[in-house]
Amino acid sequence: MSLIIRRIAVDGFRKFRTPFAIEGLAEGLNIVIEPNESGKSTLLEALRAAFFVRHNTRNQLAQSFAPHGEAVGPEIKVGFDVDGAPWTIMKRFLRSPSVEITGPEGRAQGEEAETRLNTLLGSVRDTSRNGDISTYGALGLLWIAQTEALSVSAPGQIVRDTIASTLEAEVGSIMGGEAYRRVRARVDAQFGLYWTPTGQKKGRQTEAHERAQRAEAAVREAAERLAALERSFTELEASRRRLKSVQREIADNTDVQTRKDLTASLEIARAAAQILSTRKAEQEAATGKFSSLADLKDRHEMAIAARDTAMAALQAARERRAEVAEVLARAKDKAATARIGLDSARTERQVARSALTAGEGRLRLSRRLAAITSARRRHEELLALEKQHRDAEVLAATAISAKSITVLEEHDRAVAEAQAIVNAGATRITVSGQVEGITLDGQPMSIGEWALTRTAHIRFGAAELIVTPPAAAASAEETLASALRKRKTALEELGVEDLAAARTRNEAARDAAAELRTLKARIAAVTPADDVLALTAGAEALKLFMSELEEAPGQDDNASPDIPKLTEALETADSNLARAEGVLDSAIGALRRAEEEDAPLATTEAGAVSDLANATSMIKTIEARPEWATLDADLTKAGEIAAEAAVKLEDAKRDATAHDVTAINRKIEVIDARVRTSAEARTKLETEIARLEGTIESEGGLGLADRAAAAGEEAEAARAALQRVTEDADTLKLLRDTLEAARNETSAKFLGPIAKRAKRYIAQLLPDCELTFSEDLALSSVVRAGVDEHCASLSRGTQEQLAVLTRIAFADMLIEQGKPVSLILDDPLAYSDDGRLDTMIEILSEVATRMQVILLTCRDRAFRHVPGNRLMMAPS
């Protein structure tokens, strides 16, 4: 079954932001040679999207279809033939997604269209995020994008299943007969009771393992419970001994007396700590007073220094600004003068431009007047030609069709034939001599021969002769009359007298039709396009222009303007304007430099003024404080008070060290904790003793020893059952593996037809070689001169060539199965040398005789000489 892509149109798909279409694809070899970045690979991706990506998917692949930065709905339309029947598909993604397919069975949309497309192309639904070409069927194998052919890979499962049916028909029962299939099915059924398809344990094995595990768990539980009961007796005795020891510790009064002594020492230590806190507060107050007075004096000294510095900076800034002021004034005057010159130059340029515009307008008017005069002349000639054209059309319309002429000829022939029949059957009489007084049916007769076709009465004076012709003559006469009536009716319908007149009218109509073609050419000659009048070619445009022309244009009496002189004047004005702009830019630059020099000086002056004001304000604020007048005396006195407070603080620290409140509290806490711990230990031991006594009472009468023995017997039985099931499972696995090995031995015969088809092509590239295919139909190695070379070790160029050739071999087998097949190669054979490239081109040309082949390439030199249908990529 042939698949012929006829047309591909895309809109809003990746780099194709505007509508684009490639048409004219034909059977055989199609070659599209375009430079890089022209969208060849994008075109192949659009084909795959149209045929295999569901319209309503929003996976990562579909999201990549939209042009970067645009929120549009990519749309693809493809026209193609399948087995000679035309099909079209339109698919839209992301925004308002839709699909519509039209074919011999009619039109379908939505899911029905997707199902119909999958059925037609032998593909399945793709649920991956980035597109799985193995779900595309045969076309996923044969539509090869860039780099996809750089390594030899296996076809997808769909293609393998399709090819398998062809191979099984060729090799017969080498895969095993009916007996083999029954045995294998039985073994697989038993194998499924013990193993998963991946070789993991299941079913009976799992049940036997679970039984053994339950039995082992029961044994462990019974043993643990029996051991726990024995431990309970031992733990009960130990807990009773620990309880007696704790009760003796609680009855001892030593800790009670020690705690009373520590409580008395604690009161003394608290009083010393209170005195220490008081001394710390006094020392901190004295130190704070001294620091505050010292800080006030330091700030006054810093403010005086800042005032002196600000005054010096202000004086320097004012002196420098006075120097710059004169330069700034001169720069302003120069800029004003340059601006006046620029305005004058602009006015001059405007006058020159206006003069040039007016001159060009007069020139255009002169040309328009001449063009209108010519248009009027051509319009008059056009009207005369159109009148001749109408007359010729009327005459040409009188042409009689060949069919009507043929009918007239048939009528003439029928009349002649009827007349001949009448003449042949009529009674002939000859009259001679004196004919006066002789009449025929009452009419005088003349000398000569008469043909009588009906009964005639001839009178000779008083005698009468009755002549009766044969009966056939009457019917012939009626036939002749009928033929004459028909001819007359046909001539009257056509409005001609006879056949000769009809032919003459036809000749005149034919001459008029020829004249029509001549008149059309003359009309086209007198109605050319006119750029001056913005008039397009054609009679209608000329007549419309003349109808809209209100009145006859006057004559341009003004002399033609001197456009070169006016242009020269404008160029001079432009030069003057450019010089004036340059002078102004220079003046503005000088002014800007002067302003830039003055700006930091002004900033410095303002900063100095602000610093001087701040320093003066701070000095006044400090000297206005009440403590300023006696600051020196107060500072000395505060230093003495701070020293005295420090001495008192040291004395208080020595007294507090002798009685440490924290240490005493820690000792009391240790005693209290020991008492609490003893009480808690007694409570816990009493609880534990009660629990153990209850456990011994409840567990002692349950027969735990008997239970442990029964659990051991069940465990032994479960282990034996597990061993039997394991042996059965291993035996089935071994049997299945043996059958698989036997099947693998026959796989060479199964793969033989594939190797034979592929070798037909590969032998042209690699003579005297043998091919080896893997179980998944992938070309695994090539044997040359007794050396087995794995495909992965071959050069990139050889791998690419082998990948293309094996795909062609698979395509031949798919054609035999009646599958829709075509071959698309995107930038193929990039690593091929010149010799192998020529060989591959010959193979592709030969393959194109059986299927459509589309080459998308940027290598013009490599494919320039290849015969085929060449196409260009251009916007629609």
Side-chain angles (χ1 to χ4, degrees):
M1 183 185 298
S2 61
L3 170 66
I4 309 298
I5 306 295
R6 297 294 186 185
R7 180 179 186 271
I8 309 167
V10 296
D11 184 9
F13 188 90
R14 292 188 177 169
K15 74 166 293 173
F16 296 116
R17 298 174 183 267
T18 57
F20 171 87
I22 182 168
E23 304 186 34
L25 292 165
E27 300 180 9
L29 183 59
N30 297 266
I31 304 175
V32 180
I33 303 177
E34 294 288 348
N36 290 328
E37 303 295 332
S38 59
K40 300 185 298 298
S41 299
T42 304
L43 205 61
L44 177 54
E45 286 300 318
L47 264 179
R48 285 181 168 177
F51 281 101
F52 306 115
V53 180
R54 299 185 66 79
H55 67 285
N56 54 5
T57 184
R58 303 187 66 85
N59 61 11
Q60 187 173 350
L61 178 62
Q63 296 291 337
S64 72
F65 293 161
H68 181 68
E70 294 187 9
V72 299
E75 186 173 305
I76 310 161
K77 296 180 180 178
V78 182
F80 59 101
D81 295 348
V82 177
D83 203 16
W87 293 76
T88 59
I89 181 172
M90 186 285 293
K91 189 172 286 190
R92 182 180 176 90
F93 297 93
L94 302 181
R95 292 181 175 269
S96 301
S98 63
V99 60
E100 180 176 294
I101 184 170
T102 304
E105 301 174 0
R107 186 173 60 176
Q109 297 178 339
E111 291 299 324
E112 173 62 25
E114 296 283 7
T115 303
R116 188 176 297 182
L117 192 61
N118 288 339
T119 303
L120 178 66
L121 301 178
S123 59
V124 297
R125 181 170 182 171
D126 181 13
T127 59
S128 63
R129 292 179 56 83
N130 297 313
D132 182 8
I133 61 174
S134 65
T135 64
Y136 299 170
L139 298 182
L141 176 71
L142 301 178
W143 289 0
I144 308 172
Q146 281 185 355
T147 73
E148 285 185 2
L150 292 181
S151 61
V152 181
S153 57
Q157 187 61 46
I158 298 175
V159 178
R160 293 201 301 270
D161 292 344
T162 303
I163 292 175
S165 61
T166 301
L167 297 178
E168 288 175 356
E170 291 189 21
V171 301
S173 60
I174 62 170
M175 297 301 297
E178 183 63 27
Y180 170 83
R181 287 192 290 272
R182 288 197 302 271
V183 171
R184 182 57 187 267
R186 179 61 177 169
V187 171
D188 287 343
Q190 290 298 315
F191 182 85
L193 298 176
Y194 296 89
W195 303 94
T196 65
T198 58
Q200 302 297 320
K201 296 178 180 179
K202 61 169 279 191
R204 294 180 180 178
Q205 285 199 91
T206 304
E207 295 171 359
H209 277 284
E210 291 175 352
R211 178 189 175 187
Q213 290 172 357
R214 288 194 300 269
E216 294 291 343
V219 169
R220 288 193 298 273
E221 180 185 1
E224 288 172 358
R225 292 183 64 180
L226 182 60
L229 179 61
E230 294 175 351
R231 286 195 302 274
S232 296
F233 285 105
T234 304
E235 290 173 0
L236 177 62
E237 186 61 27
S239 297
R240 286 172 177 172
R241 287 196 299 270
R242 287 198 300 273
L243 178 61
K244 291 180 180 179
S245 176
V246 169
Q247 288 174 343
R248 285 195 300 270
E249 292 176 0
I250 293 174
D252 189 358
N253 293 326
T254 303
D255 288 340
V256 176
Q257 186 60 40
T258 302
R259 193 177 189 287
K260 288 181 181 180
D261 296 339
L262 290 173
T263 302
S265 301
L266 182 61
E267 294 298 328
I268 298 173
R270 286 175 177 170
Q274 184 65 36
I275 295 172
L276 177 61
S277 299
T278 303
R279 296 291 181 263
K280 284 182 178 180
E282 293 173 351
Q283 193 268 344
E284 289 175 357
T287 301
K289 181 66 174 176
F290 177 77
S291 298
S292 175
L293 295 174
D295 179 64
L296 183 63
K297 186 174 182 179
D298 291 341
R299 285 190 290 115
H300 185 267
E301 293 175 352
M302 291 173 61
I304 291 175
R307 182 189 63 187
D308 296 341
T309 301
M311 291 178 65
L314 179 61
Q315 182 64 28
R318 287 175 175 171
E319 291 175 355
R320 180 60 183 152
R321 287 199 71 192
E323 297 174 359
V324 176
E326 185 177 355
V327 177
L328 183 59
R330 287 198 300 272
K332 289 180 179 179
D333 293 341
K334 185 176 180 180
T337 303
R339 189 172 291 105
I340 293 171
L342 177 60
D343 293 340
S344 177
R346 282 177 176 164
T347 302
E348 179 185 353
R349 178 176 177 274
Q350 183 62 32
V351 170
R353 180 176 290 279
S354 299
L356 177 60
T357 302
E360 290 175 344
R362 291 197 301 275
L363 181 60
R364 286 194 299 271
L365 177 59
S366 177
R367 291 176 178 174
R368 179 175 176 82
L369 291 174
I372 289 175
T373 301
S374 176
R376 287 182 180 279
R377 177 183 53 78
R378 290 186 283 108
H379 181 254
E380 293 173 357
E381 187 177 354
L382 171 64
L383 295 179
L385 290 173
E386 285 186 337
K387 183 178 182 306
Q388 297 178 27
H389 188 273
R390 287 194 296 273
D391 294 341
E393 282 183 334
V394 171
L395 186 55
T398 62
I400 300 175
S401 66
K403 182 177 180 181
S404 298
I405 294 293
T406 302
V407 171
L408 287 179
E409 291 174 347
E410 290 175 354
H411 285 321
D412 264 16
R413 189 180 302 110
V415 169
E417 291 174 352
Q419 186 65 55
I421 294 172
V422 168
N423 292 336
T427 300
R428 298 183 181 274
I429 63 175
T430 303
V431 179
S432 63
Q434 295 296 324
V435 294
E436 290 83 0
I438 302 175
T439 61
L440 175 62
D441 293 335
Q443 298 296 326
M445 291 187 68
S446 59
I447 295 173
E449 184 179 78
W450 290 75
L452 303 180
T453 58
R454 61 183 180 275
T455 302
H457 298 268
I458 302 174
R459 294 188 66 85
F460 301 90
E464 182 180 20
L465 176 65
I466 299 175
V467 180
T468 304
S475 63
E477 184 72 17
E478 289 299 326
T479 302
L480 175 59
S482 175
L484 289 172
R485 285 194 299 274
K486 290 181 179 179
R487 183 176 67 177
K488 182 180 179 182
T489 302
L491 291 172
E492 289 175 351
E493 289 177 353
L494 296 175
V496 294
E497 295 180 358
D498 53 21
L499 179 60
R503 288 172 175 166
T504 301
R505 193 170 82 181
N506 258 15
E507 290 296 329
R510 189 177 302 109
D511 294 339
E515 182 66 16
L516 280 176
R517 292 191 290 271
T518 303
L519 290 172
K520 286 182 180 178
R522 293 178 62 188
I523 290 173
V526 299
T527 57
D530 192 332
D531 296 334
V532 175
L533 299 177
L535 183 64
T536 59
E540 295 301 326
L542 178 57
K543 289 190 289 185
L544 178 62
F545 173 77
M546 296 306 298
S547 67
E548 293 177 349
L549 192 63
E550 296 180 356
E551 60 183 8
Q555 297 297 322
D556 183 12
D557 297 332
N558 298 327
S560 298
D562 190 351
I563 298 300
K565 184 176 180 180
L566 294 174
T567 304
E568 183 180 358
L570 178 59
E571 292 175 351
T572 302
D574 286 338
S575 299
N576 294 337
L577 178 60
R579 285 195 294 272
E581 288 177 344
V583 172
L584 179 59
D585 290 342
S586 175
I588 291 174
L591 177 60
R592 185 181 296 110
R593 288 191 295 274
E595 289 175 346
E596 289 174 352
E597 187 176 359
D598 181 67
L601 295 176
T603 302
T604 302
E605 180 181 356
V609 171
S610 176
D611 292 343
L612 178 60
N614 292 334
T616 302
S617 176
M618 183 175 290
I619 291 172
K620 289 181 181 179
T621 301
I622 292 174
E623 291 179 351
R625 294 177 64 128
E627 61 267 26
W628 174 252
T630 59
L631 179 62
D632 294 336
D634 292 344
L635 185 61
T636 302
K637 183 177 180 181
E640 294 174 353
I641 293 174
E644 182 178 354
V647 172
K648 291 181 179 179
L649 177 61
E650 290 298 326
D651 294 339
K653 285 181 178 179
R654 284 195 299 272
D655 294 339
T657 304
H659 301 85
D660 189 356
V661 175
T662 302
I664 295 173
N665 282 329
R666 188 162 50 250
K667 292 178 181 179
I668 292 174
E669 289 174 357
V670 169
I671 293 174
D672 291 344
R674 189 160 52 240
V675 172
R676 285 196 305 273
T677 301
S678 299
E680 291 173 358
R682 179 181 60 186
T683 301
K684 288 182 180 180
L685 287 171
E686 289 175 348
T687 302
E688 181 67 13
I689 289 171
R691 183 186 69 80
L692 292 172
E693 288 175 347
T695 299
I696 292 171
E697 182 178 356
S698 61
E699 293 288 326
L702 296 179
L704 294 181
D706 294 338
R707 289 189 179 183
E713 293 176 357
E714 173 59 21
E716 286 295 330
R719 282 194 290 270
L722 175 61
Q723 183 177 0
R724 288 193 305 272
V725 170
T726 301
E727 290 175 354
D728 292 344
D730 292 341
T731 300
L732 283 170
K733 188 173 184 181
L734 176 60
L735 178 57
R736 189 171 182 269
D737 292 343
T738 302
L739 289 173
E740 183 66 20
R743 190 186 69 85
N744 290 337
E745 290 178 1
T746 64
S747 63
K749 295 181 180 179
F750 181 78
L751 299 173
I754 298 178
K756 180 179 179 181
R757 287 177 172 84
K759 187 176 181 181
R760 168 189 173 188
Y761 301 107
I762 297 176
Q764 300 180 48
L765 198 73
L766 303 174
D768 301 325
C769 70
E770 296 295 333
L771 310 177
T772 302
F773 285 83
S774 61
E775 286 295 319
D776 58 358
L777 304 186
L779 181 61
S780 60
S781 63
V782 176
V783 180
R784 292 184 290 184
V787 179
D788 191 347
E789 300 175 75
H790 195 272
C791 286
S793 65
L794 300 174
S795 68
R796 297 297 292 274
T798 302
Q799 288 191 53
E800 183 183 26
Q801 296 149 16
L802 292 176
V804 172
L805 295 179
T806 53
R807 281 176 166 89
I808 293 174
F810 289 134
D812 287 341
M813 303 184 73
L814 292 169
I815 291 176
E816 296 174 9
Q817 280 290 86
K819 301 300 179 181
V821 168
S822 69
L823 182 63
I824 301 179
L825 303 177
D826 183 11
D827 269 338
L829 312 174
Y831 296 91
S832 299
D833 57 41
D834 293 343
R836 288 193 175 181
L837 179 60
D838 291 342
T839 301
M840 291 297 296
I841 291 174
E842 291 177 2
I843 294 174
L844 290 174
S845 299
E846 189 269 333
V847 170
T849 62
R850 300 189 300 278
M851 69 186 78
Q852 184 186 47
V853 178
I854 301 176
L855 295 182
L856 306 173
T857 180
C858 60
R859 302 168 65 194
D860 183 34
R861 182 179 301 175
F863 293 91
R864 185 184 305 160
H865 66 286
V866 180
N869 179 30
R870 297 181 178 274
L871 300 104
M872 302 290 292
M873 296 180 63
S876 62

